[in-house]
Amino acid sequence: MAKEILKFECETGNYHTFCPISCVAWLYQKIEDSFFLVIGTKTCGYFLQNALGVMIFAEPRYAMAELEEGDISAKLNDFKELKRLCMQIQKDRNPSVIVWIGTCTTEIIKMDLEGIAPLIEEEIGIPIVVARANGLDYAFTQGEDTVLSAIAHRCPELNEKDKNNESNLIFKNFFKSYTKKTNLPLVLFGSIPNIVANQLTSELKHQGIEIAGWLPSSRYDELPALGEGVYVCGVNPFLSRTSMTLMRRRKCQLIGAPFPIGPDGTRAWIEKICTVFNKEPIDLKQREEKIWSTLEDYLELIKNKSVFFMGDNLLEISLARFLIRCGMIVYEIGIPYMDKRFQSSELKLLEETCQKMKVPIPRIVEKPDNYHQIQRIRSLQPDLVITGLAHSNPLEARGITTKWSVEFTFAQIHGFTNARDILELVTRPIRRNSSLKNLGWSKLVKI
Amino acid sequence: MKLAYWMYAGPAHIGTLRVTSSFKNVHAIMHAPLGDDYFNVMRSMLERERDFTPVTASIVDRHVLARGSQEKVVENIIQKAQQEKPKLIILTPTCTSSILQEDLQNFVNRAAINSHCDVLLADVNHYRVNEFQAADRTLEQIVRYYLEKANQTNELSQTKTIKPSANIIGIFTLGFHHQHDFREIHRLLQDLGIQVNQVLPEGGTIESLKNLTKAWFNIVPYREIGLMTAQYLEKSFNMPYVATTPMGIVNTALWIREIKNIIKDNCEIDIEQYIDKQTRFVSQAAWFSRSIDCQNLTGKKAIVFGDATHAASITKILSQEMGIRVSCAGTYCKHDADWFREQVRGFCDKILITEDHTHVGNIISEIEPSAIFGTQMERHVGKRLDIPCGVISSPIHIQNFTLSYRPFLGYEGTNQIADLVYNSFTLGMEDHLLEIFGGHDVKTVITKNLSTNDNLQWSQAALGELNKIPGFIRNRIKRNTEKYARDNNIKEINIETMYAAKEQYTG
């Protein structure tokens, strides 16, 4: 149904985005007892050290296993080399899990990371998770998707946990009200800062829904149990692989909902979960309206202004949907990759929002071509372009207001509480420019 | 495989891209997977570049892996030639294309037939050269290509300019203070009555390369980039070059004299008189080093680390122009280690050649200098150890791309460096007063991170004494005292131990 009205286009894929290995930047901070080893070349290392800037100096729990010519020509033995490095990491940092990030190079030389990992894991006694987050297959935030989908395999089995406890079960039934959970367990997936995770957890708690756990949890040894009968729900739009793994391999039941970004998204997300658990939403409408009312001053600034998403982090559909609801007009939603199934509820909400706000449905451009997009931006002259850092300054110099998209990945944007933060980001360039607008130097290139 | 957290020099393709994007009408196409065009972000953010960086990628994805790039690279080149109309497109290999071993030269040949611009394949191997070497090579490759071409078509300028003139080779994008250095050299040459013929590659165009040979000689301000080009021009066109870096008073004078040697009697002004006037009265650095302020720096310990050019020059300035003791001078330019050793020999206690930042950090914490002159990495080490650091070399952050005029070269450069050095050490008079009055910093001692922990006891009186010592040297005194105590098997440290330690390690 959604597909009939929404228009999807696909361009050349010649666009700028971050390499998916950048996910180590936020994942090593989220999973506190982890160590991320990126197996790649100087190119990967150079990207990480420049992209992560200052963080590198804080003794991060990640490192490069830098491949040298001997590794490429198979003069050196991958197994021995990786074992040596992992033992050194074990000695220096003693993490609970080592995550190997496979890169383009390991793909091309066909290094059998999945085969080697279990052998080394057994020898050194630390779990080794392999995620292939490479630029051949994925863009930016999809890196997290590959890591989470690999970790999903390591979550304990729900039924096995029960089996171990079988003898205790009767006991528990007697002494503790073990059966208080009438619902099947709900596990949320997606890496968000702990504080935001707590906010979402308590929103659901308010509706009488308890969460059995998060994937990822803030410690590796606290991963939630998965298995048949577990409901799972995503909080980020780029987690389609993880959702597949959870459904197909771990037999979980996916709750397909819009994502909790913006008060409208958050409400729709909670409502969908409530429907699944047969709960009547409590005060949800009022909660959403109250949040909207706190946004008035920002909404005033962006009403009827136009936005162009160049696309690089897969949050684009949800953000566009929220901004349309805020009264903006979206010209184009560029997006690296569009999983129409995983995002179907989000797409449907986008469509409904457009109808409700009486604006045309924006074109959705998958694998965009930055060159063509810039031509379109030139002719459309949008009020705001949401784009990567490579294009921001050049566009600003041409008098086009920009907001860099990477900030949306690192800022806290989920749930009711953080709706204001999204608008803080979106309106910042507009507020800045309105204070400079009378100076007469908005275009700063010689043409 | 190597466990690596951080690197001083980037991968080869970064060097190539720095050269190509410095030219006005050259476009680079990287043969690379999605996300490898990070260079664009660096240029746009660090240099605050207003224009779109002329670099795009011909994306290597799953399909390319399975079937080869086939028409893709060729089409991308032809398309870019139409869209941007550059004079030259450089196909840039990355680590990925190194292992894919596709015949990129063949793509280049095919694309050249169907596009209205020249197409070249950058001759760099990811696994053999680093950023600097690649930049040096690529620049030479472009210059050689166009000079040979011009030579064949008899378009090459055969005559020299009437007045003495020079090319400046090696000014380019993302270089450490390159823009400011260029302006300063330009001014110096103007004073000497020498025209600047061409600047390479920053702001240069492909068409004007054929005029390179009009210049009387070439100037290569930095070791890292431009030497190969200068050597080629010397060999093929008999153009002499000056490779001295005019950094510091002594070297600037040396540089001017070398130029005088080349242009001989065509110099309009009295060189020695000019040098003397600049040194004593125009530049403030010579006077500064005689002033009583600088006296307080005498014999203070410093560590220098950076690329070969800057580390060697700064070492010499500190040592011979300011009387500072350089305990260790080092570079990460391993490929140029011999030159570096030769340059700094006699100006420092110890020479360090390494690409490992933890090694540098350990040496800093061992020597405990009063100031560090290094890269951004050393600045962070300095922060952790509470030692001031002046940044003198890349790798650098955005704050090192200053908006204001901050050359390192020439006479204005000497002023800038003097300020940098002076501000890095604790101000002289303040230092003195702190010593007399016991300091205004009454923080209690933070438990040491770097000194080894072996149940040494400090008596109350000794701790009190320790707290009287100014904050910035307190940790050092503490460590020295503990070292003395360990060496002499003293378990409890009292005031006497402190004094004994002080006597043993004066200085």
Side-chain angles (χ1 to χ4, degrees):
Chain A
M1 183 186 65
K3 283 163 210 157
E4 286 165 12
I5 309 176
L6 292 170
K7 290 182 292 287
F8 295 96
E9 291 169 43
C10 189
E11 285 190 320
T12 61
N14 233 324
Y15 64 104
H16 167 79
T17 183
F18 273 10
C19 174
I21 60 172
S22 52
C23 68
V24 307
W26 63 88
L27 286 175
Y28 92 82
Q29 293 184 59
K30 172 74 192 179
I31 310 173
E32 290 157 11
D33 51 352
S34 63
F35 190 99
F36 284 77
L37 184 67
V38 182
I39 305 163
T41 60
K42 253 188 178 353
T43 307
C44 314
Y46 197 66
F47 164 69
L48 276 183
Q49 92 179 35
N50 281 297
L52 308 186
V54 184
M55 276 191 265
I56 189 86
F57 300 109
E59 298 223 343
R61 291 187 319 279
Y62 69 81
M64 290 290 308
E66 193 184 312
L67 299 169
E68 291 165 302
E69 207 163 8
D71 300 301
I72 305 301
S73 56
K75 276 207 182 96
L76 297 166
N77 181 305
D78 300 338
F79 171 79
K80 278 190 195 150
E81 292 293 301
L82 282 168
K83 187 177 152 195
R84 180 172 59 81
L85 298 192
C86 286
M87 283 170 75
Q88 196 181 329
I89 292 164
Q90 185 180 31
K91 197 176 123 238
D92 296 346
R93 305 290 172 89
N94 194 29
S96 311
V97 60
I98 298 178
V99 183
W100 287 356
I101 303 287
T103 62
C104 305
T105 311
T106 57
E107 286 298 311
I108 298 169
I109 63 174
K110 298 194 167 54
M111 195 181 275
D112 182 19
L113 297 178
E114 279 90 349
I116 300 171
L119 304 175
I120 297 180
E121 179 169 321
E122 195 162 313
E123 287 202 27
I124 66 170
I126 298 180
I128 295 174
V129 174
V130 181
R132 303 179 177 200
N134 60 68
L136 294 168
D137 301 305
Y138 305 109
F140 197 9
T141 48
Q142 287 180 293
E144 173 181 322
D145 194 21
T146 62
V147 173
L148 295 192
S149 112
I151 290 181
H153 289 278
R154 302 300 184 109
C155 293
E157 185 66 40
L158 180 73
N159 296 330
E160 265 171 30
K161 229 184 186 175
D162 282 357
K163 266 177 215 156
N164 294 339
N165 291 345
E166 213 158 20
S167 50
N168 298 339
L169 206 59
I170 307 162
F171 248 168
K172 275 189 176 167
N173 272 334
F174 269 109
F175 294 103
K176 289 179 182 173
S177 52
Y178 186 71
T179 46
K180 85 173 178 214
K181 276 190 203 165
T182 45
N183 300 322
L184 290 164
L186 171 65
V187 171
L188 299 181
F189 60 97
S191 165
I192 48 176
N194 288 342
I195 180 165
V196 186
N198 292 340
Q199 284 163 0
L200 288 182
T201 308
S202 75
E203 292 291 351
L204 288 175
K205 201 170 179 182
H206 189 70
Q207 305 295 338
I209 297 165
E210 290 280 340
I211 292 173
W214 281 85
L215 173 69
S217 44
S218 54
R219 295 188 60 84
Y220 180 75
D221 48 22
E222 288 165 4
L223 286 175
L226 298 174
E228 217 163 335
V230 174
Y231 279 102
V232 289
C233 188
V235 298
N236 272 324
F238 44 78
L239 298 172
S240 60
R241 240 179 109 87
T242 308
S243 72
M244 281 302 185
T245 308
L246 292 171
M247 285 190 294
R248 291 196 182 150
R249 307 296 297 274
R250 303 307 308 262
K251 309 287 176 225
C252 301
Q253 190 120 20
L254 179 72
I255 303 174
F259 301 97
I261 292 169
D264 49 339
T266 308
R267 178 182 168 189
W269 182 74
I270 295 174
E271 263 174 359
K272 186 65 188 282
I273 296 173
C274 285
T275 325
V276 173
F277 288 95
N278 273 323
K279 301 265 182 188
E280 192 63 39
I282 308 159
D283 292 340
L284 201 53
K285 190 163 172 266
Q286 291 89 315
R287 180 113 171 87
E288 191 201 346
E289 274 162 10
K290 187 152 173 268
I291 297 292
W292 281 115
S293 72
T294 62
L295 303 177
E296 294 281 338
D297 51 337
Y298 279 163
L299 296 181
E300 213 44 53
L301 287 172
I302 52 174
K303 211 175 203 169
N304 295 325
K305 291 225 158 73
S306 54
V307 197
F308 190 108
F309 284 88
M310 285 186 77
D312 74 341
N313 60 13
L314 285 95
L315 294 171
E316 290 87 0
I317 302 281
S318 311
L319 287 174
R321 177 260 303 150
F322 168 55
L323 293 182
I324 291 170
R325 180 62 185 76
C326 289
M328 296 187 89
I329 300 144
V330 177
Y331 287 147
E332 175 166 328
I333 308 177
I335 186 167
Y337 169 75
M338 182 73 244
D339 184 335
K340 289 176 199 155
R341 276 216 305 207
F342 182 61
Q343 295 224 44
S344 61
S345 305
E346 183 63 81
L347 288 168
K348 195 160 155 260
L349 185 59
L350 169 72
E351 214 173 21
E352 287 164 7
T353 306
C354 288
Q355 281 157 6
K356 187 174 169 188
M357 302 303 291
K358 300 193 175 57
V359 291
I361 291 175
R363 59 197 281 185
I364 298 173
V365 181
E366 228 185 315
K367 292 187 185 299
D369 183 304
N370 282 166
Y371 179 83
H372 297 313
Q373 282 185 315
I374 285 164
Q375 309 300 316
R376 294 199 286 272
I377 288 170
R378 278 197 174 129
S379 66
L380 291 166
Q381 293 285 316
D383 295 310
L384 183 68
V385 174
I386 297 182
T387 179
L389 290 170
H391 300 300
S392 275
N393 270 340
L395 285 171
E396 288 282 354
R398 282 157 185 79
I400 290 177
T401 306
T402 64
K403 177 76 236 154
W404 12 299
S405 51
V406 180
E407 273 197 291
F408 293 102
T409 329
F410 293 114
Q412 304 185 347
I413 60 167
H414 294 80
F416 286 125
T417 325
N418 298 309
R420 203 173 164 82
D421 291 46
I422 307 178
L423 289 188
E424 162 72 27
L425 289 178
V426 171
T427 57
R428 192 179 296 158
I430 295 169
R431 282 178 284 139
R432 195 266 317 265
N433 288 0
S434 75
S435 53
L436 304 181
K437 78 177 170 214
N438 293 324
L439 295 171
W441 55 64
S442 59
K443 284 191 183 154
L444 290 148
V445 278
K446 295 176 206 148
I447 297 166
Chain B
M1 266 177 227
K2 196 167 80 181
L3 199 60
Y5 295 91
W6 204 79
M7 63 183 97
Y8 284 104
H13 70 265
I14 297 287
T16 298
L17 297 180
R18 282 176 66 187
V19 170
T20 60
S21 59
S22 297
F23 279 105
K24 265 194 182 138
N25 51 1
V26 178
H27 196 99
I29 294 189
M30 299 168 69
H31 186 243
L34 196 65
D36 271 2
D37 56 354
Y38 189 71
F39 175 77
N40 297 28
V41 177
M42 290 178 61
R43 188 150 182 275
S44 163
M45 292 308 288
L46 297 178
E47 289 249 300
R48 299 181 194 88
E49 184 54 58
R50 300 173 198 215
D51 280 317
F52 293 100
T53 301
V55 174
T56 37
S58 175
I59 304 282
V60 176
D61 57 14
R62 238 340 118 176
H63 299 291
V64 171
L65 215 55
R67 303 174 299 137
S69 291
Q70 295 187 351
E71 299 303 315
K72 196 171 181 178
V73 178
V74 179
E75 274 165 20
N76 277 323
I77 295 175
I78 295 170
Q79 201 176 34
K80 212 28 89 176
Q82 284 165 355
Q83 287 170 349
E84 310 276 358
K85 305 197 168 42
K87 279 284 161 204
L88 167 68
I89 288 182
I90 296 242
L91 182 59
T92 310
T94 59
C95 56
T96 307
S97 37
S98 283
I99 18 180
L100 280 178
Q101 297 193 326
E102 286 193 275
D103 190 357
L104 295 181
Q105 186 60 54
N106 175 34
F107 296 152
V108 162
N109 297 344
R110 277 163 54 203
I113 300 168
N114 292 310
S115 38
H116 293 290
C117 68
D118 297 312
V119 189
L120 284 178
L121 172 65
D123 175 27
V124 290
N125 181 328
H126 174 90
Y127 293 95
R128 303 278 163 85
V129 293
N130 68 16
E131 175 184 350
F132 299 116
Q133 294 162 296
D136 204 11
R137 267 164 196 260
T138 305
L139 183 58
E140 194 256 8
Q141 190 188 356
I142 296 174
V143 169
R144 180 192 290 267
Y145 178 80
Y146 282 101
L147 291 196
E148 280 172 6
K149 197 172 165 187
N151 210 2
Q152 276 164 13
T153 52
N154 286 325
E155 282 177 74
L156 200 64
S157 300
Q158 299 292 351
T159 50
K160 297 283 174 195
T161 53
I162 300 162
K163 285 180 82 180
S165 63
N167 300 316
I168 302 174
I169 302 175
I171 306 288
F172 71 150
T173 192
L174 291 172
F176 181 73
H177 293 241
H178 277 200
Q179 298 299 333
H180 313 297
D181 283 349
F182 163 66
R183 261 171 72 189
E184 186 60 23
I185 300 181
H186 195 281
R187 211 175 69 177
L188 255 177
L189 291 175
Q190 228 168 12
D191 284 354
L192 301 174
I194 296 166
Q195 293 173 345
V196 173
N197 182 50
Q198 304 253 302
V199 183
L200 276 185
E202 185 64 43
T205 60
I206 290 305
E207 296 93 327
S208 54
L209 286 177
K210 60 175 185 287
N211 296 325
L212 271 182
T213 46
K214 275 187 180 171
W216 292 27
F217 65 103
N218 294 312
I219 290 172
V220 183
Y222 314 104
R223 288 281 306 165
E224 285 73 25
I225 304 111
L227 263 189
M228 276 181 81
T229 309
Q231 282 157 358
Y232 161 73
L233 291 169
E234 182 183 50
K235 205 173 147 221
S236 304
F237 301 97
N238 255 329
M239 294 176 78
Y241 66 89
V242 176
T244 299
T245 303
M247 200 187 303
I249 298 170
V250 176
N251 268 22
T252 304
L254 184 66
W255 182 78
I256 295 174
R257 289 190 187 108
E258 279 183 39
I259 290 174
K260 160 81 175 149
N261 266 345
I262 290 172
I263 60 172
K264 301 261 160 39
D265 296 333
N266 291 291
C267 195
E268 289 169 357
I269 59 164
D270 182 337
I271 287 286
E272 289 308 323
Q273 210 182 351
Y274 174 77
I275 293 174
D276 182 61
K277 194 176 155 212
Q278 289 287 328
T279 305
R280 292 197 296 139
F281 303 109
V282 179
S283 156
Q284 298 295 317
W287 157 234
F288 167 74
S289 57
R290 281 309 282 236
S291 74
I292 50 165
D293 258 347
C294 198
Q295 235 178 56
N296 283 347
L297 300 183
T298 306
K300 290 222 171 182
K301 281 197 286 183
I303 284 181
V304 181
F305 194 82
D307 64 28
T309 302
H310 288 85
S313 302
I314 295 289
T315 302
K316 284 193 262 185
I317 292 170
L318 293 177
S319 164
Q320 64 180 350
E321 293 177 22
M322 293 181 171
I324 291 162
R325 177 155 170 210
V326 180
S327 304
C328 176
T331 181
Y332 54 82
C333 294
K334 269 185 155 170
H335 61 277
D336 214 8
D338 292 340
W339 178 85
F340 184 78
R341 281 199 195 91
E342 191 188 302
Q343 289 295 308
V344 299
R345 190 164 293 138
F347 295 108
C348 60
D349 300 343
K350 183 179 167 146
I351 298 171
L352 175 68
I353 311 286
T354 181
E355 287 175 325
D356 181 356
H357 73 276
T358 51
H359 190 186
V360 182
N362 287 341
I363 287 190
I364 292 173
S365 74
E366 222 170 80
I367 293 179
E368 294 187 49
S370 306
I372 309 167
F373 299 94
T375 72
Q376 276 294 340
M377 184 44 103
E378 283 68 48
R379 194 174 73 86
H380 282 268
V381 173
K383 264 190 185 168
R384 279 173 53 195
L385 296 170
D386 214 5
I387 301 172
C389 176
V391 175
I392 53 126
S393 157
S394 54
I396 40 180
H397 284 173
I398 193 156
Q399 69 257 41
N400 303 108
F401 290 89
T402 55
L403 302 174
S404 57
Y405 186 48
R406 295 271 172 82
F408 268 61
L409 302 186
Y411 288 109
E412 178 55 27
T414 61
N415 292 339
Q416 296 289 338
I417 293 170
D419 274 342
L420 180 76
V421 171
Y422 184 58
N423 291 334
S424 296
F425 288 99
T426 311
L427 299 179
M429 229 23 202
E430 189 189 1
D431 190 348
H432 193 53
L433 292 174
L434 284 172
E435 221 162 86
I436 295 172
F437 296 113
H440 46 59
D441 181 352
V442 287
K443 280 192 298 192
T444 41
V445 192
I446 315 152
T447 38
K448 65 278 144 191
N449 276 344
L450 293 151
S451 66
T452 44
N453 194 0
D454 42 15
N455 30 351
L456 282 170
Q457 292 283 323
W458 283 73
S459 74
Q460 274 306 323
L463 268 183
E465 191 66 20
L466 186 65
N467 285 339
K468 283 188 208 149
I469 294 165
F472 57 91
I473 48 166
R474 190 186 297 144
N475 275 337
R476 195 190 329 153
I477 302 278
K478 184 161 187 270
R479 272 189 289 267
N480 280 346
T481 311
E482 287 178 348
K483 182 164 183 277
Y484 175 83
R486 273 193 300 276
D487 291 347
N488 292 284
N489 243 336
I490 296 169
K491 284 278 173 263
E492 193 188 284
I493 297 171
N494 49 29
I495 296 184
E496 284 73 51
T497 325
M498 286 179 75
Y499 291 152
K502 195 188 171 199
E503 279 153 28
Q504 177 134 352
Y505 305 110
T506 328

